Every structure is written in C-alpha cells, then in structure tokens.
Amino acid sequence: MEQEILPSLLATFRDLKVWSAGCADGPEPYSVAILLAELAPGGRHQILATDIDPGALAAARRGVYGERALQAVTPTRLNRYFRREGDHFYLQEQIKGMVDFRQHDLLKDAYGSGFHLIICRNVVIYFTADTQNDLYRRFYQALAPGGVFFIGATENLFQYRELGFEKIAPWFYRRPAGTS
C-alpha cells in the first residue's frame, strides 16, 4: 500500500477519494490518513470510513488505542502521530480530522461513486457466495476507472475477471481505466 498502491494512485489522481468499508474501530482509515499525510501532504483527500456498528464508529472517532493494537506501527510514526497517556495512545487530531465516519449497511444502503481506493478487508467472508458477488459488483461500480479495491488475506476474489477487475497484487484489484 505505502510503496506501490498509493504512490501509483497519487501519480494518476491528485487528491484521493478513499472508502474504508467495514472500518470497525478505525485502524485502516487512520493508517491511510497517516500515509497520505506523509506521501501527499497538503492534499485535499477524502477518506470515508463506514461500519454498521454505532459502537465501533464511536470508538473509531475517539482514536484511542492500546499498545497491542499499535504493535505494527513504527516507533517514528507512533511518536509523530500518537500521544501516550498511561496504557493508551491518542491519535493526533489532524489525522482524526482527515476521516469522516458514518454508519452504513453494505447490504441495504447506497454506495457512493468515484472512489480511487476502496478497502474492505475481512468483511465479505461473512456473507454467502451470491451476496459476496453482489457486493463485489457494487464495489466495482463505486470505484472510479483506475481505482483499486483491497480485500483481506482471508478472502478470495476468484471471479475477478468476470466482475471486470484486473488483479494487480495479492488482495489488490483494479477497475481498468477507460471503463464506464
């Protein structure tokens, strides 16, 4: 994501429109916000983070994490973007302000459009195969041409060609440019 996907998207699209679907308590959209703050400072990026669970969204908006949740964060980023108080780490307000959290039901609610990156990791596995294919079609339509869809390592998108995607890396699929 940091070394290939985001730089490639930023080379094509000046300001990114990102959707983290099924964001839980916010680590993925906040990670993208941190990366964009570093890779394209001053950009006017839009990061939408959605989940069906209001409790998860409330926790995400707080941006407070325990040490275990941040074990993969580098010490440099931990010092730059978090303030430690006791056993808790508080995310910097600037990064929190980059993400718009909203309640959304993937099965019932309308999807936005024109996204350059959609992250939906380890969510679709909980649905039937038919529902998964329907969700993947909806994600494809929500992507801008040239946009990238990122799924979790526990998921497989076997019929990506039939859905219109091209596989660009493990768990990363692109909607080809020039598609409508």
Side-chain angles (χ1 to χ4, degrees):
M1 178 75 71
E2 177 179 4
Q3 295 179 357
E4 294 181 28
I5 303 301
L6 287 175
S8 173
L9 287 171
L10 288 165
T12 306
F13 308 102
R14 180 185 162 154
D15 297 312
L16 297 187
K17 185 176 179 184
V18 178
W19 178 21
S20 177
C23 69
D25 65 347
E28 290 168 354
Y30 284 142
S31 294
V32 170
I34 288 170
L35 292 174
L36 289 175
E38 293 177 357
L39 294 169
R44 298 178 58 164
H45 310 292
Q46 299 174 44
I47 304 172
L48 172 64
T50 63
D51 202 284
I52 196 169
D53 182 354
L57 291 168
R61 286 183 188 102
R62 283 191 296 274
V64 179
Y65 298 96
E67 193 169 338
R68 185 170 182 227
L70 301 175
Q71 62 189 4
V73 177
T74 65
T76 301
R77 285 186 176 135
L78 197 60
N79 289 328
R80 183 179 298 154
Y81 299 108
F82 293 88
R83 181 185 82 253
R84 184 177 192 153
E85 289 185 19
D87 293 337
H88 295 93
F89 291 83
Y90 292 77
L91 184 62
Q92 185 183 82
E93 290 298 322
Q94 176 190 355
I95 299 300
K96 285 171 48 176
M98 292 176 67
V99 182
D100 178 19
F101 290 98
R102 295 186 192 169
Q103 190 170 6
H104 184 268
D105 184 328
L106 290 172
L107 298 176
K108 297 178 183 175
D109 295 333
Y111 288 23
S113 62
F115 291 100
H116 303 113
L117 175 64
I118 297 175
I119 302 165
C120 188
R121 298 182 64 241
N122 307 321
V123 174
V124 178
I125 56 171
Y126 297 104
F127 298 108
T128 65
D130 286 342
T131 301
Q132 289 175 6
N133 284 331
D134 181 52
L135 293 174
Y136 290 142
R137 279 186 203 89
R138 294 178 76 187
F139 284 127
Y140 177 89
Q141 290 301 318
L143 280 171
V148 174
F149 180 49
F150 180 32
I151 64 172
T154 61
E155 299 165 319
N156 292 301
L157 185 47
F158 294 117
Q159 299 174 331
Y160 66 91
R161 285 186 191 97
E162 289 84 359
L163 295 168
F165 287 107
E166 57 186 17
K167 188 172 187 172
I168 57 174
W171 310 295
F172 288 91
Y173 300 86
R174 180 182 355 248
R175 179 177 175 168
T179 60
S180 56

